[in-house]
Amino acid sequence: QVRLVESGGGLVQAGGSLRLSCAASGRTFSSYVMGWFRQAPGKEREFVAGINWSGGSTKYSDSEKGRFTISRDNAKNTVYLQMNSLKPEDTAVYYCAAHLSAVVPTGPDEYDYWGQGTQVTVSS
């Protein structure tokens, strides 16, 4: 069992930055692929970024590539999402998720554990 708690969301102006954190409970955090997803009102949950157990492999959706950076600190049981050059269309609830695998999946149905989400609002 893995419990995930996100933090770091808030209101930011377009062009600004935020860093989201996701703290995980459990001693096996380093075994999990970690992903960030987001869901805007009326839209499906979509993949943002993912990272394998060691941090040596990352994956991003095309719209975030170059602006967002995912990282993890296994000693702190925490995964991060650094978001730069934020746009109003980045406004959404951001979720972290955990998946026990060697590869980074992009489908939300493939993830086993989810946090409660943190709201990110980007004003124009």
Side-chain angles (χ1 to χ4, degrees), residues 53-118:
W53 70 273
S54 69
S57 177
T58 58
K59 189 180 291 185
Y60 297 91
S61 70
D62 288 341
S63 60
E64 283 77 47
K65 201 174 295 184
R67 297 191 300 126
F68 292 3
T69 303
I70 189 171
S71 61
R72 68 190 295 162
D73 186 338
N74 287 340
K76 295 182 178 180
N77 279 14
T78 302
V79 62
Y80 305 97
L81 184 68
Q82 177 67 43
M83 305 187 295
N84 299 326
S85 302
L86 283 162
K87 306 173 183 179
E89 50 264 44
D90 294 318
T91 295
V93 177
Y94 284 70
Y95 299 90
C96 72
H99 172 67
L100 192 60
S101 171
V103 297
V104 179
T106 60
D109 291 344
E110 298 178 82
Y111 284 77
D112 307 297
Y113 302 101
W114 291 85
Q116 83 289 348
T118 185

Side-chain angles (χ1 to χ4, degrees), residues 45-56:
R45 192 167 296 190
E46 63 175 358
F47 175 80
V48 174
I51 189 166
N52 76 333
W53 70 273
S54 69

